[in-house]
Amino acid sequence: MSNSMPLVQALRGHLSLGRISFHTPGHKGLPSPLDGLGDLKRLDLTELPDTDSLYEADGPIAQAMELAAGFFHAKRTLFSSGGCTLCIQAMLYLAAPTGGKVIFGRTLHRSAVNAMALLDITPVWVLPRPDAGSGLPGRIHPNDVEDALLRHPDAKAVYVTSPDYYGTRSDIASLAAVCRRRGVLLLVDNAHGAHFSLLTPDIHPLHLGADACADSAHKTLPVLTGGAWLQLGQRMPAEGALDAMALFGSTSPSYPIMASLDLCRSWMQEKGNAAFSQLQGQVEEVKKRAEGLGIPSPKGPVDPVRLAFNTLAVGVDGRRAAEHLRLYGIEPEMSDKGWVVLLPSPFHEKRHLQRLMDALTALPHGTEQSEAYFAPTLPEAVERPRAAVLGPSQWVDVEQCVGRIAAQAACPCPPGVPLVMPGEKIDQRVQLELIHSGIRRLKVVK
């Protein structure tokens, strides 16, 4: 038997490259408040008389969550060491514990799709309105949500993802007004916006009227990977919220991760606004200089401290641009045909952002062009997601998938909008879109 340690060796190997992290987690492996945790293995404890228990919290964990709720002005703030996925599962359970209809923006994370199947939720889809010519998913429009609610008055909630991976934001305040007018809850997957309360102006979904949101704190803040907050507003049922998390979460939540959430909230209170105010100015300067090089960023409401560059505007495939950045010692968050996305942090130094700017300045322009854009459509839904996901299924080549029912979501990026969801029938147009997106096999219902 080999005595190798492939994962350990891979992690050490990547660190040896010496690249600057412009990806998650938010601490970037740089000096940050997390240093205050010291030797993490000494904090890797369990449920003891003096350390409390997450799902029955009445001691220090409860106190830490109450302090977080006070900071976020939330009815309740709950800790998750199971990432935003656990928050999304619990949020949907609280809104629709017995299933039923929920209005969903078509741009969403697969954890929400899986939660639909587990909870027997029937989705009513609202397509985003694409940004012309950008290839980005676009935003969920309040009028489209209101139309869906008028057609489905029995819907229990509205669920949107904002911001998306590229940092574009939907109009949460207007969506919240629609939901209040129609008497339903607004749930927001705010995975990439946990830092929004530290910005000027404050654009956190909870403060714009959302009834609940899932904050993936580790993505943009000094929190260990897996740390997230479930934020509950005043209209959200909070009784049994921890029980809802316990339905899906591990009975052994990580104490170091929960401790990092507590430490982060303390840092946010003391230094967060100043740190992100400085970062906003730095990122705005990088965007301006990139625009001067012919490399634009998304327009309209966005996360002001995320960098998304349309390198295809200068004829360079985003994936090739990412490789160019790596030559300069920069590791981006993600890249696709048209875009490269980076996550700056308050813990980056000026020299880190300058190296990024040097890399962008040296990016050789090319002649690549965007391919034909397929406007997303809604395939016919013939089964509930639960039946499609949990029932018998098989893998088939896309060439043989017409007429079959999808048992999984197929979501190429860009544009980030699923081409087909579990329970939907695959027609020739969807097949063509799957092929165009490079998807060759798909799980379908038997």
Side-chain angles (χ1 to χ4, degrees):
M1 181 182 294
S2 171
N3 195 31
S4 66
M5 300 176 292
L7 177 57
V8 172
Q9 291 166 342
L11 294 173
R12 288 174 175 166
H14 181 79
L15 290 177
S16 72
L17 298 174
R19 291 176 182 161
I20 302 168
S21 165
F22 276 90
H23 53 80
T24 61
H27 58 75
K28 311 300 180 188
L30 297 170
S32 77
L34 278 180
D35 297 345
L37 293 177
D39 187 354
L40 284 179
K41 67 177 179 290
R42 293 182 55 80
L43 296 181
D44 193 13
L45 298 172
T46 188
E47 293 86 352
L48 301 170
D50 56 344
T51 60
D52 207 357
S53 174
L54 175 59
Y55 303 125
E56 298 81 29
D58 60 3
I61 295 177
Q63 294 166 17
M65 293 193 297
E66 287 170 7
L67 287 168
F71 174 77
F72 285 106
H73 305 289
K75 183 178 182 179
R76 288 195 75 180
T77 298
L78 305 181
F79 284 5
S80 165
S81 65
C84 218
T85 292
L86 178 55
C87 298
I88 287 168
Q89 291 166 331
M91 183 168 68
L92 282 168
Y93 176 81
L94 290 170
T98 58
K101 291 181 182 178
V102 172
I103 310 294
F104 284 92
R106 189 75 172 184
T107 308
L108 79 172
H109 193 266
R110 65 181 178 182
S111 59
V113 180
N114 294 337
M116 287 179 211
L118 293 172
L119 297 169
D120 201 12
I121 289 173
T122 300
V124 175
W125 297 109
V126 174
L127 287 169
R129 297 189 181 184
D131 290 343
S134 71
L136 294 182
R139 299 170 174 85
I140 301 299
H141 198 280
N143 290 349
D144 298 336
V145 169
E146 187 148 34
D147 288 345
L149 288 169
L150 287 170
R151 288 184 282 107
H152 300 274
D154 53 341
K156 297 179 178 179
V158 171
Y159 179 105
V160 299
T161 301
S162 178
D164 65 14
Y165 228 122
Y166 305 90
T168 60
R169 297 187 291 112
S170 293
D171 185 350
I172 298 299
S174 295
L175 289 168
V178 168
C179 290
R180 278 169 167 71
R181 192 158 59 243
R182 298 297 167 188
V184 299
L185 298 166
L186 175 60
L187 317 177
V188 179
D189 175 355
N190 185 48
H192 289 270
H195 58 288
F196 277 3
S197 64
L198 301 175
L199 301 176
T200 304
D202 179 346
I203 52 174
H204 194 282
L206 200 68
H207 306 153
L208 297 177
D211 296 298
C213 61
D215 290 356
S216 195
H218 73 92
K219 284 185 168 62
T220 56
L221 293 168
V223 169
L224 293 175
T225 295
W229 292 297
L230 174 57
Q231 312 281 10
L232 303 180
Q234 297 306 315
R235 294 202 311 152
M236 194 72 182
E239 180 114 15
L242 279 175
D243 293 335
M245 295 188 83
L247 279 175
F248 305 99
S250 169
T251 56
S252 300
S254 165
Y255 276 75
I257 291 175
M258 291 190 289
S260 73
L261 287 167
D262 194 25
L263 185 68
C264 178
R265 184 271 315 158
S266 176
W267 173 81
M268 291 171 79
Q269 279 186 287
E270 294 179 9
K271 301 179 179 179
N273 288 103
F276 272 87
S277 176
Q278 181 179 35
L279 181 63
Q280 275 185 258
Q282 292 172 330
V283 170
E284 186 60 33
E285 178 61 24
V286 171
K287 286 182 180 180
K288 285 180 181 177
R289 293 174 66 184
E291 288 273 1
L293 298 171
I295 306 172
S297 300
K299 307 305 179 187
V302 296
D303 174 358
V305 295
R306 176 168 296 230
L307 290 171
F309 295 123
N310 181 2
T311 58
L312 208 53
V314 291
V316 182
D317 185 300
R319 294 159 294 192
R320 194 158 65 84
E323 287 301 321
H324 170 81
L325 293 178
R326 293 185 183 102
L327 294 176
Y328 278 74
I330 292 167
E331 189 66 49
E333 168 70 9
M334 62 88 73
S335 60
D336 57 34
K337 172 70 177 175
W339 295 79
V340 60
V341 176
L342 304 100
L343 307 186
S345 161
F347 310 111
H348 281 132
E349 300 173 18
K350 282 186 178 180
R351 62 186 178 91
H352 298 146
L353 291 168
Q354 183 57 53
R355 190 187 298 185
L356 170 61
M357 206 56 244
D358 292 343
L360 291 174
T361 302
L363 179 67
H365 293 197
T367 58
E368 292 169 301
Q369 297 180 347
S370 61
E371 299 169 354
Y373 175 69
F374 286 90
T377 58
L378 291 178
E380 178 188 3
V382 295
E383 284 192 12
R384 299 198 310 277
R386 179 181 180 84
V389 170
L390 301 182
S393 62
Q394 64 183 128
W395 288 91
V396 300
D397 293 336
V398 168
E399 284 76 9
Q400 281 78 50
C401 72
V402 172
R404 304 297 295 270
I405 300 168
Q408 66 170 154
C411 184
C413 197
V417 179
L419 301 176
V420 67
M421 283 286 188
E424 294 177 344
K425 190 174 182 179
I426 303 165
D427 58 21
Q428 288 184 331
R429 177 181 172 83
V430 170
Q431 180 193 49
L432 184 61
E433 292 174 341
L434 291 168
I435 293 171
H436 176 80
S437 301
I439 297 172
R440 294 290 176 256
R441 287 176 62 78
L442 192 71
K443 189 187 291 187
V444 299
V445 173
K446 271 191 176 180

